[in-house]
Amino acid sequence: MDAHRSIDAVWKLESARIIAGLTRLVHDVGLAEELAQDALVAALEQWLESGVPDNPGAWLMAVAKRRAIDHLRRSRRLEDLDESEVAAAPEEPEQDDVLRLMFLSCHPVLPAPARVALTLRLLGGLTTAEIARAFLLTEPKIAQRVAAAKRTLAEERVPFELPGRAELAGRLSSVLEVIYLIFNEGYSATSGDDLMRPGLTLEALRLGRLLARLAPGEAEVHGLVALMEIQQSRAAARTGPSGEPIRLHEQNRGRWDRLLIRRGFTAMLRAREAGGKPGPYVLQAAIAVCHAQARTAEDTDWAQIATLYDALVRLLPTPVVQLNRAVAYGRAHGPATGLAMADALLSDPALQDYHLLPGVRADLLTELGRTAEARVEFQRAAALTQNTAERAFLLRRADALPAEDHAVRTLADAADEFLTRDTLDPQTARSYGQTLRRLRAALGDTRPLASLTADEVTRVCTTAWGHAAAKTWNRHRSALRSFAAWAEMDDLAAGLERRAESTTRTPSIAPARLDALWSSDLPLREHTLWRMLHESAAAARTVLSLNVEHLDLDDRSAQIDGTLVTWRSGTARLLPRLLDGRTHGPLFLADRRPGPARTPAPADLCPETGRRRLSYERAEHLFKQATRALDPAGNGYTLRQLKPAGQTLSQQ
Amino acid sequence: MRYLMMSHPTGEPTNPNLEAEMGAWIEELTAAGVLLSAGGMAPTGIEVSESDGEVTVTDGPFAEAKESVAGFALVEVRSEEEVVEIARRFVKMVGNSRSVIQRVFT
């Protein structure tokens, strides 16, 4: 046995309790984790010599606690340090501390990915490398997430307390969501080669079982545990010999793990004992119980499952739940009913790129004997999934269905031909390509061109660009009209109304908000650019195209392509620092040198730094990000809005 | 990874508070989500064996105490090191005890 790995195993078993106990002492989870890690380093030194002590958890806790008290004394936070409380602090952390830690690491002030990473780190004792591996991300990325999360918790002064009665439900559902996210990432890996990552399902099950012990009166917690136990019971039956997914009703139920099913049923009983109106996890678990109770797929009580989905959709009307409800209805009340429900979801923008929607439609179409359409839908689902095993499986299902006559021209053929005509200039081809890519993703590459209908084209456009600016909508509309005319199917785009493009300018940023912006701590490059745009009222693209050699610093002006850009003292004060001795090349530079595959024109490269010109898109993005907090609507502003009110727009 | 831990007595248990501690141990491992199932077993058993087409049924007790299993625990762990650590704590708690751990394929 490798001693380091043995000690790591001890750490994983003990770390949650130790960090929780220390957090109660020092009121800072980041510091608590550091102290616990210090104790682990001490343990490594000693235990490698003398072996693991009988009670390693208590040993680690004692060492960490000593360090915590030293730290508090050193940092002169004695006013925070009630000596008697410290002395009386039990060697063994309280159970509630671990529960507090869970609420802390899943706190709503953190973005979801940070909650997941922090929970695995603090409660699962996983290293950043292990978390990164599980989520197919780089270790620095995870380390950054964890560090930012700890910083946020400290800055927001999130207390190490159990939530009060009023906020308990909301806070608990945040914890449940994190655990289920971890479980799902392991159970149906969203990307990568493997269909499952057992490490993550195990971590989630352990967290759920732990939470059920810490908060035994909460029905939803038991519901989540029941749901995960029963889903996990099918793990061995979910994949075939070569890793291909096997769908629930085709699984060999003899391979379902009866032990986990029984544990799931027990958790479900506890949920019932806890009482209350069934919440989303209890309902999902009830659906899982229905499946687990059926000896064969034919015995499944689909009517009951459809009823449960009706209740679930009321609490959790997400597109995915609606899709599952369509599946249940298809089984309970016939494929035509299910298909009608699934079709209603085609216009939901949230499901545009969700591979399960075409997958479900393909199944129902197959049952209805509409195999040609089913084949196209399977292929479309395969193109949308990120998971390799799933893609292969969907393509196999498509191939098992009779193919269309090969002579039929498909949407993909036509689109390619349309875009590669010599008469098309590259920019138009690029723009048309965007439109047609969406059409192909939504209707399927292998759709026979002749079978496209105007209603479908209208639906795809409305789903994708219904809420976009009128200008965007009209651009895609004209692309489709052009394609339809070229394909001699003029009426394809007939349902697309041209939209009036408003000429009203977005309002300028209010002076008080601008003052707030100028007085905040801004990066030099951005500050100079924004000041110049504000003082010159010139167009952003014009200002970004300025070179150092265009500037006349004394005259506070620059000439470019016949346009005069002038500025005032605010910009003049900043410019020399931004130039920093540069005499040639773009005035505003990007952060990084261009990659080898993207060599910009020589005019867009700085001869001194090798960096490229700051692009308009990037400049807009940076401004939007920086002004998000300033904008009462929370969207952030565009560069155009830096122009003072009442300025003419002659310099476009 | 799932493991079956089988506990064999090698002498008299040395821990006078064994019952209470065992209860707490089971409670703790269950709470941690590690223990899936556990149970104590009767000291006697029946052996059924086949040799050259001949099936023999023999009633216990076993000739040697170390052949009998006193209890089992089915655990779900992250690694082999983790199950060894759990077994280490278990034999320490019971005293005069030997645990055999075998991976259960799922």
Side-chain angles (χ1 to χ4, degrees):
Chain A
M1 283 256 134
D2 176 80
H4 280 275
R5 293 184 45 174
S6 302
I7 291 170
D8 179 59
V10 170
W11 167 254
K12 283 187 167 53
L13 289 170
E14 305 292 344
S15 64
R17 271 189 306 188
I18 292 170
I19 292 171
L22 290 170
T23 309
R24 178 154 47 97
L25 208 57
V26 299
H27 301 292
D28 175 343
V29 76
L31 176 61
E33 201 209 359
E34 266 171 56
L35 293 163
Q37 290 281 358
D38 287 349
L40 181 65
V41 172
L44 278 168
E45 286 167 8
Q46 289 215 15
W47 297 358
L48 289 177
E49 293 281 319
S50 56
V52 179
D54 286 356
N55 191 337
W59 191 102
L60 285 166
M61 188 68 208
V63 171
K65 209 176 111 172
R66 259 202 312 279
R67 283 165 191 261
I69 292 166
D70 289 347
H71 176 92
L72 290 174
R73 288 208 178 101
R74 259 202 319 279
S75 62
R76 301 236 184 94
R77 295 214 338 238
L78 281 181
E79 63 275 14
D80 301 342
L81 181 63
D82 182 345
E83 288 284 352
S84 65
E85 182 196 335
V86 170
E91 285 301 327
E92 279 290 303
E94 293 170 28
Q95 279 222 324
D96 268 0
D97 286 344
V98 177
L99 186 56
R100 287 191 183 105
L101 186 63
M102 264 199 196
F103 278 115
L104 191 68
S105 68
C106 301
H107 199 281
V109 297
L110 303 173
R115 293 180 212 171
V116 167
L118 196 62
T119 302
L120 286 170
R121 176 111 180 102
L122 299 180
L123 288 132
L126 269 63
T127 62
T128 43
E130 284 168 332
I131 301 169
R133 256 204 311 281
F135 284 89
L136 310 180
L137 293 165
T138 62
E139 192 179 343
K141 178 132 194 111
I142 294 290
Q144 209 178 1
R145 255 181 217 180
V146 170
K150 287 181 199 160
R151 221 179 13 253
T152 306
L153 290 173
E155 282 166 4
E156 301 277 337
R157 297 180 176 264
V158 176
F160 187 63
E161 282 165 10
L162 295 179
R165 187 160 292 282
E167 49 166 0
L168 179 64
R171 294 285 305 277
L172 190 65
S173 82
S174 172
V175 177
L176 296 172
E177 190 187 354
V178 167
I179 296 175
Y180 198 42
L181 257 173
I182 295 170
F183 181 83
N184 267 323
E185 188 52 40
Y187 191 71
S188 46
T190 44
S191 58
D193 298 338
D194 300 328
L195 210 55
M196 281 191 272
R197 298 196 213 120
L200 283 176
T201 52
L202 174 64
E203 292 301 334
L205 269 162
R206 274 165 83 148
L207 288 168
R209 291 165 184 164
L210 175 64
L211 182 60
R213 199 45 75 106
L214 297 175
E218 299 294 335
E220 278 292 90
V221 177
H222 297 297
L224 173 64
V225 172
L227 176 62
M228 293 194 299
E229 299 272 16
I230 295 175
Q231 286 194 312
Q232 186 58 25
S233 75
R234 306 180 201 137
R238 288 177 75 223
T239 48
S242 51
E244 73 280 13
I246 300 177
R247 285 163 310 159
L248 183 64
H249 61 273
E250 289 171 348
Q251 288 170 11
N252 172 356
R253 294 182 182 225
R255 301 198 62 198
W256 287 1
D257 186 332
R258 304 307 307 178
L259 174 67
L260 291 186
I261 289 177
R262 212 184 59 226
R263 291 177 61 92
F265 287 0
T266 309
M268 204 56 188
L269 287 175
R270 294 212 176 102
R272 292 226 173 87
E273 281 163 13
K277 207 167 162 301
Y281 288 108
V282 169
L283 285 171
Q284 290 174 84
I287 292 166
V289 165
C290 278
H291 286 300
Q293 281 172 326
R295 292 230 161 269
T296 65
E298 290 68 40
D299 292 344
T300 309
D301 187 349
W302 284 106
Q304 169 69 7
I305 291 175
T307 308
L308 286 166
Y309 269 115
D310 285 338
L312 183 59
V313 101
R314 276 195 293 274
L315 294 181
L316 204 64
T318 64
V320 176
V321 170
Q322 293 181 358
L323 181 61
N324 287 333
R325 181 163 158 251
V327 174
Y329 265 79
R331 300 246 167 231
H333 311 296
T337 315
L339 186 63
M341 279 180 149
D343 286 355
L345 297 171
L346 284 170
S347 52
D348 189 325
L351 292 178
Q352 271 188 117
D353 296 321
Y354 188 58
H355 69 279
L356 290 181
L357 175 54
V360 164
R361 289 191 74 244
D363 270 328
L364 293 162
L365 288 164
T366 309
E367 278 185 66
L368 289 166
R370 291 159 62 179
T371 50
E373 291 163 87
R375 190 181 153 91
V376 173
E377 283 297 89
F378 275 132
Q379 285 163 331
R380 195 162 78 82
L384 287 173
T385 181
Q386 301 294 314
N387 183 294
T388 322
E390 185 122 35
R391 185 175 315 121
F393 165 77
L394 288 162
L395 288 174
R396 265 200 308 280
R397 297 211 52 205
D399 291 340
L401 294 169
E404 283 279 346
D405 181 5
H406 280 299
V408 169
R409 187 150 76 134
T410 64
L411 173 56
D413 296 340
D416 286 339
E417 206 177 316
F418 172 69
L419 293 172
T420 50
R421 288 167 302 149
D422 298 342
T423 50
L424 223 50
D425 67 275
Q427 210 170 349
T428 313
R430 223 189 350 267
S431 162
Y432 283 3
Q434 274 185 357
T435 311
L436 289 172
R437 244 200 312 283
R438 170 52 63 197
L439 192 69
R440 287 165 58 169
L443 300 178
D445 276 350
T446 50
R447 261 295 288 274
L449 183 64
S451 70
L452 261 53
T453 68
D455 284 352
E456 282 180 315
V457 172
T458 308
R459 188 201 76 218
V460 172
C461 277
T462 313
T463 308
W465 304 297
H467 296 291
K471 203 167 165 178
T472 307
W473 167 269
N474 288 338
R475 179 163 60 86
H476 291 296
R477 173 180 174 266
S478 44
L480 286 165
R481 283 168 63 96
S482 167
F483 176 65
W486 170 84
E488 295 174 357
M489 299 173 68
D490 284 322
D491 54 352
L492 260 194
L496 303 174
E497 294 288 331
R498 186 178 167 75
R499 294 187 179 179
E501 294 180 21
S502 68
T503 49
T504 51
R505 289 270 170 244
T506 35
S508 301
I509 304 170
R513 291 215 175 83
L514 262 182
D515 289 340
L517 178 66
W518 302 142
S519 61
S520 59
D521 188 19
L522 299 173
L524 178 63
R525 177 189 62 184
E526 279 78 332
H527 192 177
T528 316
L529 171 66
W530 301 342
R531 279 273 186 189
M532 188 180 271
L533 288 170
H534 177 65
E535 292 179 353
S536 70
R541 287 183 193 274
T542 307
V543 169
L544 286 165
S545 63
L546 287 175
N547 282 356
V548 180
E549 55 268 34
H550 295 140
L551 307 183
D552 183 339
L553 291 183
D554 298 333
D555 192 44
R556 295 185 181 177
S557 71
Q559 277 278 6
I560 177 160
D561 300 336
T563 308
L564 183 68
V565 178
T566 58
W567 55 87
R568 299 195 306 277
S569 61
T571 310
R573 263 198 303 276
L574 295 164
L575 271 173
R577 273 200 296 147
L578 180 71
L579 291 174
D580 194 23
R582 287 186 289 132
T583 53
H584 282 86
L587 171 58
F588 296 101
L589 296 172
D591 297 315
R592 281 193 288 267
R593 293 191 183 84
R598 312 181 56 133
T599 320
D604 289 331
L605 270 182
C606 172
E608 286 152 63
T609 61
R611 292 189 294 168
R612 63 175 308 164
R613 185 182 301 279
L614 177 65
S615 73
Y616 171 71
E617 291 75 13
R618 176 80 188 152
E620 281 287 14
H621 169 79
L622 288 169
F623 190 59
K624 196 175 261 284
Q625 288 293 328
T627 53
R628 197 153 278 177
L630 219 52
D631 178 10
N635 301 324
Y637 296 110
T638 60
L639 290 169
R640 184 194 296 263
Q641 293 173 276
L642 277 166
K643 280 183 212 225
Q647 284 281 355
T648 54
L649 298 154
S650 57
Q651 297 163 331
Q652 286 303 326
Chain B
M1 303 158 97
R2 227 176 249 193
Y3 286 89
L4 183 64
M5 281 174 44
M6 288 156 290
S7 155
H8 302 263
T10 55
E12 285 304 309
T14 52
N15 184 348
N17 304 323
L18 185 54
E19 203 151 318
E21 283 185 32
M22 182 84 79
W25 183 80
I26 287 176
E27 167 72 22
E28 187 187 329
L29 278 188
T30 305
V34 173
L35 187 65
L36 295 179
S37 179
M41 284 142 90
T44 58
I46 305 160
E47 184 180 276
V48 181
S49 61
E50 195 269 5
S51 166
D52 300 328
E54 198 67 34
V55 174
T56 321
V57 179
T58 320
D59 273 354
F62 297 105
E64 295 197 50
K66 67 168 192 255
E67 284 179 22
S68 76
V69 181
F72 77 94
L74 186 64
V75 293
E76 195 159 34
V77 290
R78 300 180 177 103
S79 63
E80 189 176 287
E81 288 80 8
E82 206 163 72
V83 72
V84 169
E85 173 62 21
I86 290 165
R88 194 183 68 82
R89 295 181 195 187
F90 181 82
V91 294
K92 198 87 201 174
M93 175 175 74
V94 177
N96 286 333
S97 162
R98 180 172 71 95
S99 266
V100 176
I101 308 166
Q102 284 180 272
R103 175 135 187 220
V104 180
F105 293 117
T106 48

